Amino acid sequence: MTEIRFEKVWKEYGSAIVLENVDLTLADHEFLVVIGPSGVGKTTLLRLLLAQERPTRGRILLDGAEIAAEPTADRGVVFQRYSVFPHKTVLANVMLGPQWAGSPLLGRLFGARRRALRERAMALLDRVGLAEHAKKYPAQLSGGMQQRLALAQSLINKPKVLLLDEPFGALDPGSRRAMHVLVRELWEEQAMTIVMVTHDLMEAFHLGTRVVAIDRPRRDPQAPERYGATITSDFCAKPRIVRDSFRFEAARLRAAAEREADAPFLTRERD
Amino acid sequence: MRRIINYAPSPGVALLLGAAPFVAVGMFYLAASDARLAVDAADKLMPGLSAFYAQMSRLMTRVDPAVAQPLFWYDTWWSLSRLLQGIGWSALIGIVGGILIGFIPFLRATFEPLIFALSLIPPLAVLPILFIAFGLGETSKLVLIVFGIAPFIVRDVVLLVAAIPREQIIKAQTLGASTWQMIVDVVLPQALPRLIESVRLSLGSAWLFVIAAEAITAEGGLGYRIFLVRRYLAMDVILPYVVWITLLAFLLDYALRKLSAAAFPWAKLREA
Ligand SMILES: Nc1ncnc2c1ncn2[C@@H]1O[C@H](COP(=O)(O)OP(=O)(O)O)[C@@H](O)[C@H]1O
Ligand SMILES: [Mg+2]
């Protein structure tokens, strides 16, 4: 069970108010998508949740307790870029988290524990479609593959919340669609909460179970920094009752796909 | 006619073009030396090839009674050991100091202005202080080299550490890394290629400080020898020594470049 609460959160930089009075309660296993125009404070909201920045007023609670004052392992993150370590191979990138947790001084596991971890990492890489690239360095991967690697790297630690800041913003449409499918499936499998920031409305409603828009409700043309952004709309994109039957639905879709495989003409038409 | 910037030499031609100035300088020297020797066979300023050969084979093979080995190798050994010790200590200070100062905000606030000020002091100006404080022996020479290049290397590493994308550091923390683990697994490996780069850039100054210190006082060394024989206008020693120092500098630089490429294959990829 993971519940996230923003209680009247404000974020100001000096006299500039970026976020004002953000109030939000997020139930367990939601896929929250935050949309809003560029520069409105979406990344700032995510940084607050990461504890990369602290709110100037208000509190952020995770399961009833205030979040740690610095980034910790219960909140994973994938940024638009630079989320993976360029000096480590794909496999080593994925194995990092558990090695750090298991060996405070050396940051390396040995023997049976290492073999077990390697197996787990390879399974995860296989899941995100990078198994045959395990020995490469990130610079040898495409942008989409790097983002899949960043996902695997975060997921191996089983975070309660996964934060995504425009994770597909730099990808071409093809890999973007593939990533949508992957993230949706991982969200289902890992039963975690995802908070994703985007400025793409289609993406937001395609992926999210809940979509909030943030914007500045008031504006002072003389002093734009006087008013901050806050949640202006809140949509329940996929009601829980629909989601609860997701597995049933998935099974139905799989069965349908199998039927289509038996009738190749139909499949081709649909493509 | 295309624009001149759009004409590029083939690799073979580039090699020839690169070698041409060296050949030209050599030929010019030999011609000038011949002309001078024709006027005065005892001319010392521009000795010919035979004089270089005679002098150098003597220095390289004849055991000098005072130091019990050929002077050339004795001098080379002294200078290289000073240079390598100085560079080694500077690199160590650079990587440890640079990472700690660059990565930990409180240390950065405390030491960055100091390092900046130190790097502005001309090292040769403090050489007398070093001689007074550490005596005329090896310590003051070592301190001079370290004083001369360590602040530069520290600053370079600090800049590199500060330039690591914030996203990586945040990501490491969300993966549960401690400060120590981030230093060892995230910052240090990415700082090492840059350390080698800045050591390569410092090689020139390091040689300068070695030779300057040796010129003033030493038991031996390439710089010491050059300044010693200057009194006799012994160009047949000075010129080959200068060429030898240049060659050593080139070889060190080459070795560091190869080391970097072999040890950090990922660093090249990032540039591509
Ligand atoms: N560290 C900071 N200091 C001052 N202003 C900042 C800082 N970080 C962000 N801002 C301001 O906050 C606003 C929102 O930024 P951001 O959250 O990055 O927007 P978005 O992600 O929605 O594009 C911007 O106007 C930006 O100038
Ligand atoms: Mg942003």
Side-chain angles (χ1 to χ4, degrees):
Chain A
M1 274 302 289
T2 307
E3 189 205 53
I4 301 172
R5 274 173 74 142
F6 279 70
E7 285 185 349
K8 297 200 169 51
V9 169
W10 292 63
K11 181 65 192 175
E12 294 137 304
Y13 291 107
S15 63
I17 304 175
V18 177
L19 294 173
E20 62 175 51
N21 210 19
V22 175
D23 238 336
L24 177 76
T25 303
L26 195 61
D28 186 39
H29 196 206
E30 287 278 3
F31 195 139
L32 174 72
V33 182
V34 180
I35 53 173
S38 182
V40 79
K42 305 182 296 295
T43 298
T44 306
L45 189 78
L46 216 58
R47 284 194 184 138
L48 291 172
L49 199 46
L50 259 178
Q52 185 185 347
E53 301 273 354
R54 306 285 295 151
T56 37
R57 281 182 257 173
R59 302 191 301 164
I60 301 172
L61 308 175
L62 185 61
D63 292 335
E66 205 157 342
I67 56 169
E70 58 178 4
T72 47
D74 52 0
R75 287 154 290 158
V77 67
V78 174
F79 296 103
Q80 187 171 0
R81 296 178 62 200
Y82 306 122
S83 293
V84 293
F85 300 104
H87 58 288
K88 299 230 173 235
T89 63
V90 168
L91 180 62
N93 260 293
V94 178
M95 287 169 65
L96 263 181
Q99 298 217 71
W100 277 335
S103 166
L105 202 60
L106 294 178
R108 308 264 178 293
L109 295 177
F110 298 98
R113 288 171 76 198
R114 186 182 186 86
R115 279 194 298 278
L117 172 60
R118 174 188 293 263
E119 234 162 70
R120 206 148 65 84
M122 281 310 294
L124 202 49
L125 279 176
D126 196 34
R127 179 67 191 84
V128 301
L130 288 177
E132 71 261 43
H133 303 290
K135 290 205 172 69
K136 291 187 180 166
Y137 287 99
Q140 293 166 299
L141 304 180
S142 71
M145 289 154 97
Q146 289 192 24
Q147 292 303 77
R148 278 185 269 156
L149 171 58
L151 276 173
Q153 186 181 39
S154 293
L155 291 180
I156 200 161
N157 259 18
K158 300 202 183 313
K160 289 181 174 178
V161 188
L162 185 62
L163 306 173
L164 309 172
D165 189 356
E166 307 202 13
F168 320 125
L171 303 185
D172 61 274
S175 10
R176 190 185 284 227
R177 266 196 301 279
M179 289 294 288
H180 287 167
V181 174
L182 178 67
V183 167
R184 236 350 250 254
E185 289 176 357
L186 289 173
W187 172 72
E188 267 301 323
E189 290 165 17
Q190 313 259 334
M192 64 193 158
T193 300
I194 292 186
V195 178
M196 183 175 103
V197 160
T198 181
H199 54 242
D200 182 340
L201 205 62
M202 293 285 283
E203 185 172 275
F205 280 94
H206 178 53
L207 287 178
T209 57
R210 185 169 167 194
V211 178
V212 302
I214 62 172
D215 206 344
R216 297 172 185 219
R218 293 169 295 173
R219 247 172 250 271
D220 181 345
Q222 310 305 317
E225 76 282 357
R226 282 273 286 116
Y227 297 113
T230 191
I231 295 177
T232 50
S233 353
D234 192 338
F235 307 93
C236 190
K238 296 185 183 63
R240 194 161 269 273
I241 186 154
V242 175
R243 271 189 283 144
D244 284 344
S245 63
F246 183 86
R247 277 192 187 83
F248 172 76
E249 201 186 321
R252 197 175 57 79
L253 286 176
R254 253 197 311 280
E258 272 159 23
R259 271 201 307 282
E260 281 183 8
D262 292 340
F265 288 113
L266 273 180
T267 327
R268 217 166 290 154
E269 261 172 24
R270 210 158 285 179
D271 285 344
Chain B
M1 272 300 278
R2 286 174 284 163
R3 296 171 183 83
I4 192 166
I5 56 163
N6 292 325
Y7 289 96
S10 69
V13 174
L15 197 68
L16 278 180
L17 287 175
F22 287 97
V23 175
V25 169
M27 304 241 289
F28 176 80
Y29 176 88
L30 289 181
S33 153
D34 271 354
R36 288 182 69 102
L37 289 172
V39 176
D40 171 13
D43 179 59
K44 298 187 90 170
L45 286 188
M46 296 184 94
L49 283 182
S50 56
F52 285 136
Y53 180 77
Q55 183 64 279
M56 276 302 111
S57 54
R58 195 175 61 80
L59 283 173
M60 281 179 176
T61 53
R62 209 198 61 176
V63 175
D64 186 88
V67 301
Q69 51 178 303
L71 277 180
F72 180 80
W73 302 115
Y74 177 77
D75 290 336
T76 302
W77 189 85
W78 264 120
S79 291
L80 271 187
S81 90
R82 285 179 188 127
L83 185 84
L84 293 181
Q85 280 185 57
I87 286 177
W89 281 109
S90 303
L92 191 68
I93 294 172
I95 197 74
V96 174
I99 286 180
L100 290 178
I101 294 172
F103 200 47
I104 299 176
F106 265 90
L107 291 183
R108 183 159 187 182
T110 312
F111 290 109
E112 208 180 17
L114 175 71
I115 296 290
F116 182 56
L118 282 181
S119 70
L120 288 180
I121 302 175
L124 289 178
V126 296
L127 186 54
I129 305 178
L130 299 180
F131 278 140
I132 294 168
F134 298 104
L136 295 176
E138 291 307 305
T139 318
S140 52
K141 295 187 188 61
L142 184 62
V143 174
L144 175 71
I145 303 171
V146 172
F147 189 87
I149 64 178
F152 165 79
I153 298 180
V154 172
R155 278 183 70 194
D156 211 33
V157 174
V158 167
L159 289 181
L160 178 269
V161 172
I164 293 178
R166 198 69 208 153
E167 285 90 340
Q168 270 188 41
I169 305 299
I170 301 291
K171 176 87 181 195
Q173 295 180 64
T174 64
L175 293 176
S178 65
T179 300
W180 164 250
Q181 287 169 333
M182 281 189 279
I183 287 178
V184 173
D185 282 332
V186 179
V187 180
L188 178 67
Q190 297 194 63
L192 282 177
R194 176 72 162 259
L195 175 76
I196 293 188
E197 283 305 302
S198 55
V199 165
R200 281 179 59 202
L201 287 177
S202 320
L203 276 179
S205 344
W207 271 112
L208 169 72
F209 299 129
V210 168
I211 290 169
E214 287 177 349
I216 294 172
T217 161
E219 288 179 46
L222 297 167
Y224 167 77
R225 194 70 51 205
I226 290 177
F227 276 82
L228 188 73
V229 301
R230 179 184 59 100
R231 285 172 234 167
Y232 319 112
L233 298 180
M235 293 295 268
D236 54 348
V237 176
I238 296 177
L239 284 177
Y241 263 55
V242 171
V243 171
W244 176 235
I245 290 172
T246 311
L247 188 66
L248 286 177
F250 170 79
L251 288 176
L252 275 176
D253 185 78
Y254 183 79
L256 284 173
R257 212 168 56 208
K258 287 287 156 196
L259 172 72
S260 179
F264 313 109
W266 55 270
K268 273 271 171 293
L269 294 174
R270 192 164 40 174
E271 288 160 21

